[in-house]
């Protein structure tokens, strides 16, 4: 698949996208327009189902929507509010540490550059890129497991890690298309192009896809 076909596939998926469930962090970004809440909900979403992240975020943000409100909570309260997200104890500690550092070093404001974001405890490339695109509206390629898997299945990239996929997409795709990729491919990956046995017979972009590595499909 070449770049024109990749963009064509994204355009086709964009038509179907409103029928699918948008990723929870996207919904939170649309509702709040707040980089801090995007950052915290992204951390909650790691290794956690969207339904669980949605409920946990709602409970947490009902009590704390800013770093200063967050540090007023004790770790046990945050743990209780976010349970049962994966690694909830670690995440509660990370959320508190991030909030304290934001207050101490950034006047409570989330920084808008990748390198600084990645110096925060628990913030990797995926989280930092998502905060830039959803929280700040900056061009950013956020590659999670869905974007990595589907871009390889398409035959658009041939990469071993999400980071390699990110670099390949940055090279091959024009910057003004970067930020929409994550939303579309996450929703598509949760609905049709599932990790095990994708629904190829019902796929809107099957005519473009090379189905690299797909051994079993429906
Ligand atoms: S044809 Fe199958 S593998 Fe290719 S994008 Fe569609 S669902 Fe995924």
């Amino acid at each position: 698949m070449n770049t024109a076909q990749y963009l064509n596939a994204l355009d086709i998926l964009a038509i179907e996208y409103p029928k699918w469930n948008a990723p929870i962090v996207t919904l939170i970004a649309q509702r709040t327009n707040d980089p801090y809440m995007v950052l915290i909900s992204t951390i909650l979403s790691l290794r956690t189902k969207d339904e669980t992240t949605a409920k946990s975020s709602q409970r947490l943000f009902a009590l704390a929507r800013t770093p200063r409100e967050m540090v007023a909570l004790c770790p046990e309260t945050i743990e209780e509010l976010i349970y049962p997200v994966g690694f909830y104890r670690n995440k509660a500690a990370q959320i508190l540490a991030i909030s304290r550092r934001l207050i101490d070093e950034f006047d409570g404001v989330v920084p808008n550059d990748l390198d600084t974001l990645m110096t925060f405890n628990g913030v990797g490339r995926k989280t930092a890129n998502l905060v830039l695109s959803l929280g700040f509206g900056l061009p950013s390629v956020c590659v999670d497991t869905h974007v990595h898997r589907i871009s390889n299945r398409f035959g658009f990239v041939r990469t071993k890690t999400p980071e390699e996929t990110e670099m390949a997409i940055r090279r091959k795709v024009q910057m003004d298309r970067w930020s929409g990729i994550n939303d579309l491919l996450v929703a598509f990956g949760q609905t049709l192009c599932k990790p095990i046995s994708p629904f190829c017979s019902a796929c809107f972009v099957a005519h473009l896809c090379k189905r690299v590595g797909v051994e079993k499909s429906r």
Side-chain angles (χ1 to χ4, degrees):
M1 178 186 277
N2 61 31
T3 299
Q5 290 168 325
Y6 190 68
L7 294 177
N8 186 8
L10 294 177
D11 288 339
I12 294 168
L13 296 179
I15 296 167
E16 303 302 323
Y17 178 80
K19 296 180 207 155
W20 302 328
N21 289 330
I24 182 61
V25 180
T26 304
L27 293 176
I28 288 171
Q30 287 167 352
R31 279 185 208 134
T32 66
N33 215 11
D34 183 315
Y36 178 70
M37 284 197 261
V38 171
L39 171 59
I40 299 302
S41 56
T42 304
I43 288 168
L44 293 179
S45 75
L46 301 174
R47 300 193 177 224
T48 301
K49 288 202 161 110
D50 262 14
E51 306 91 84
T52 307
T53 304
K55 288 180 187 151
S56 300
S57 303
Q58 200 176 17
R59 287 194 295 271
L60 182 62
F61 294 148
L63 290 193
R65 299 166 75 93
T66 66
R68 286 187 176 83
E69 288 170 354
M70 196 67 76
V71 298
L73 302 177
C74 63
E76 294 75 20
T77 303
I78 297 179
E79 286 172 14
E80 273 172 32
L81 289 168
I82 66 176
Y83 180 85
V85 299
F87 306 100
Y88 65 97
R89 284 208 174 93
N90 283 350
K91 287 181 182 176
Q94 280 168 358
I95 288 168
L96 274 174
I98 288 169
S99 302
R100 275 196 203 103
R101 201 175 147 212
L102 284 172
I103 294 166
D104 292 346
E105 297 179 32
F106 300 91
D107 201 21
V109 178
V110 176
N112 66 352
D113 79 274
L114 190 72
D115 291 336
T116 310
L117 281 168
M118 284 175 56
T119 65
F120 280 79
N121 180 23
V123 177
R125 283 196 84 80
K126 182 185 123 181
T127 300
N129 272 311
L130 206 58
V131 170
L132 291 183
S133 67
L134 294 180
F136 291 101
L138 295 170
S140 187
V141 182
C142 174
V143 177
D144 72 342
T145 176
H146 296 289
V147 177
H148 177 59
R149 179 182 73 253
I150 296 168
S151 297
N152 273 282
R153 278 181 177 170
F154 277 170
F156 179 58
V157 299
R158 188 170 297 208
T159 52
K160 290 201 168 51
T161 64
E163 189 167 340
E164 284 176 24
T165 302
E166 181 192 327
M167 297 311 157
I169 291 174
R170 281 174 180 269
R171 263 197 324 274
K172 291 161 72 122
V173 176
Q174 65 209 57
M175 199 186 267
D176 63 349
R177 298 296 301 265
W178 288 358
S179 292
I181 294 172
N182 183 272
D183 258 4
L184 288 174
L185 295 190
V186 171
F188 180 49
Q190 288 173 341
T191 312
L192 284 175
C193 193
K194 297 204 169 224
I196 298 164
S197 192
F199 290 98
C200 298
S201 60
C203 177
F204 308 100
V205 294
H207 58 295
L208 296 166
C209 177
K210 293 212 166 11
R211 302 180 69 219
V212 175
V214 176
E215 286 167 6
K216 215 173 109 193
S217 66
R218 290 174 266 185

